[in-house]
Amino acid sequence: MKRFEKWFWIIPLFVALIVMAGIRLVTDTPNGYKFWERPISQNLIEWIGATIMAYLFQAFMYYLLKRNEKYTDKLNVKRLLIEYLIIVIVGLLFINPCVMIIHHFINDPVDLDDLVIASVIFTLVLIFIYSFYRGSQILDAYIEQRLQNEKVKSNQAETELKYLKAQFRPHFLFNTLNTIYFQIDEQNEAPRRTIEKLSELLRYQLYDVNHLVTIEQEFQFIETYMEVQRLRMKESLKLETFFDPALKPYPIQSLLLLPLVENAFKYVGGDYWIQIDARLEKGNRLTLEVRNSIPANAVNNGKKGIGLENLQRQLELLYAGKHKLQYIKSNGTYVAHMEIELVK
């Protein structure tokens, strides 16, 4: 629709002319009445009245198009039929009083034929114009989606190349950890347990990175990560977590939730607490909120770490127009809030 917006508010002038001329041609010409020969004031009143009517309805149609724009990528036959039904019903409720008012000002008695013909012509013109604009809206969304898909493919290829180049180091570290694990005496249970957890984290990052996983797998990885972090943190750390079970079957890009959790463990201070809350909201929307205390004198340089910058970039590529990410710092608390529209 963007390419036609500059014409959007000019078209009512032509719509008014077409509708009024159509009504007159259908109703007057068969009777031998030449409406173009009547006083010009009557024709002007009709056209001005029709123009005002067309602009009022154009405003309603503009509102409807903007409101339905967010549903363009979810369009189906049922939703489209409802849109057209709304347009037709409102149009019929709108046109008849307007015709009666216009006829009143030109002192021309209105009969049922006038109302029926006006309704039919106005409805046909209305459906044509709405179809034109809605179609252009759908076309714009399709082109944007295609461009986004091509962009994602290009970035995926680049990411895969970087991943293959970097894969040697995790393999090396993973194998080294296994060697150390078997060198530790079985009685030293704590360090062996720590190495097991580190191996689990590495295995997940090595084999599941750049792939879709279930949110349940992602939650399990985060829980393992938190266990390892707790080993090096102060015992006074208060950690509260809630992972909504309803989220578990949904697919998500691996390691997409971790950066916010990592950030909390990295910068926690002050009262020394972390709260992690992941819920499934209406419309299959994942809401993840990570809160952590920070020192009262923490310096805010306005810069985000590379992990958060990469997260923002991933969301833009993978969930374009279907995500929300924001950070709030106040009163010794740092809040990271992320929303993602999931597809099951």
Side-chain angles (χ1 to χ4, degrees):
M1 179 179 156
K2 294 177 183 177
R3 67 173 72 91
F4 301 113
E5 281 188 344
K6 62 182 179 180
W7 304 103
F8 196 78
W9 299 106
I10 300 176
I11 286 182
L13 298 172
F14 299 100
V15 171
L17 185 63
I18 292 170
V19 171
M20 295 313 301
I23 292 172
R24 285 301 167 193
L25 287 171
V26 173
T27 57
D28 297 342
T29 304
N31 299 325
Y33 180 72
K34 300 177 181 179
F35 66 92
W36 56 85
E37 292 181 353
R38 65 180 179 173
I40 192 171
S41 59
Q42 287 187 318
N43 289 326
L44 280 175
I45 290 172
E46 278 195 353
W47 187 68
I48 292 171
T51 301
I52 294 172
M53 173 192 70
Y55 270 108
L56 289 173
F57 205 86
Q58 183 85 332
F60 166 75
M61 191 164 64
Y62 185 78
Y63 161 77
L64 193 65
L65 285 166
K66 284 295 184 183
R67 188 176 72 89
N68 292 336
E69 189 173 20
K70 59 184 178 182
Y71 301 117
T72 300
D73 58 342
K74 301 177 182 177
L75 201 62
N76 54 39
V77 175
K78 181 180 178 181
R79 189 181 292 278
L80 198 59
L81 287 175
I82 291 174
E83 285 184 22
Y84 278 95
L85 188 61
I86 292 172
I87 281 286
V88 170
I89 291 174
V90 175
L92 292 175
L93 292 175
F94 186 77
I95 183 67
N96 290 316
C98 290
V99 170
M100 295 175 71
I101 292 171
I102 292 172
H103 275 256
H104 170 74
F105 278 104
I106 62 175
N107 297 316
D108 183 15
V110 63
D111 54 29
L112 183 61
D113 289 343
D114 292 324
L115 296 177
V116 171
I117 293 170
S119 298
V120 171
I121 293 176
F122 183 72
T123 300
L124 291 175
V125 173
L126 190 63
I127 289 175
F128 173 78
I129 294 175
Y130 186 77
S131 299
F132 178 74
Y133 281 114
R134 194 68 169 110
S136 68
Q137 201 175 54
I138 294 169
L139 181 60
D140 286 340
Y142 173 75
I143 293 173
E144 186 175 347
Q145 185 64 44
R146 286 292 300 271
L147 291 174
Q148 191 65 35
N149 289 342
E150 292 301 320
K151 193 175 182 180
V152 169
K153 287 180 182 178
S154 175
N155 279 274
Q156 281 179 337
E158 184 180 347
T159 302
E160 186 177 358
L161 179 60
K162 291 180 179 179
Y163 167 65
L164 291 172
K165 288 180 178 179
Q167 207 172 23
F168 169 76
R169 281 174 292 177
H171 264 300
F172 174 77
L173 184 56
F174 183 67
N175 292 331
T176 303
L177 281 174
N178 282 335
T179 301
I180 296 172
Y181 176 82
F182 288 109
Q183 288 177 342
I184 297 175
D185 192 281
E186 291 185 3
Q187 293 180 352
N188 295 323
E189 187 175 338
R192 288 173 68 95
R193 180 62 178 164
T194 302
I195 291 177
E196 284 181 2
K197 292 298 179 183
L198 284 173
S199 297
E200 288 179 24
L201 294 176
L202 279 172
R203 185 181 294 109
Y204 185 84
Q205 294 185 61
L206 185 60
Y207 297 111
D208 291 325
V209 71
N210 293 332
H211 295 287
L212 283 176
V213 297
T214 63
I215 294 184
E216 181 178 15
Q217 290 174 285
E218 192 77 351
F219 285 165
Q220 289 172 350
F221 173 76
I222 290 174
E223 286 172 350
T224 303
Y225 171 82
M226 291 189 297
E227 285 183 40
V228 173
Q229 289 295 327
R230 290 295 301 261
L231 294 173
R232 70 174 188 83
M233 306 295 283
K234 298 177 183 177
E235 292 183 2
S236 59
L237 175 66
K238 298 175 184 177
L239 178 62
E240 297 178 11
T241 62
F242 175 76
F243 296 131
D244 192 343
L247 283 165
K248 290 183 177 181
Y250 286 88
I252 195 171
Q253 190 75 15
S254 65
L255 304 178
L256 200 61
L257 308 183
L258 181 64
L260 300 187
V261 179
E262 276 185 316
N263 202 59
F265 276 96
K266 182 177 180 180
Y267 293 106
V268 65
D271 294 334
Y272 225 62
W273 55 264
I274 297 175
Q275 297 173 344
I276 303 171
D277 190 284
R279 297 178 183 273
L280 180 64
E281 305 290 350
K282 292 182 180 178
N284 295 340
R285 181 169 286 267
L286 161 67
T287 299
L288 173 65
E289 189 163 279
V290 181
R291 296 172 172 265
N292 64 277
S293 60
I294 54 176
N297 59 351
V299 177
N300 182 11
N301 57 14
K303 294 182 179 179
K304 293 181 288 186
I306 190 170
L308 297 182
E309 289 180 354
N310 287 342
L311 173 61
Q312 180 68 49
R313 181 64 178 152
Q314 277 187 294
L315 289 171
E316 289 172 357
L317 290 172
L318 300 169
Y319 299 94
K322 299 178 181 180
H323 74 277
K324 179 180 178 183
L325 182 62
Q326 60 183 11
Y327 312 99
I328 303 170
K329 179 184 175 184
S330 63
N331 300 325
T333 301
Y334 188 86
V335 182
H337 182 89
M338 180 169 69
E339 295 181 15
I340 301 175
E341 189 174 326
L342 301 171
V343 178
K344 194 168 185 179

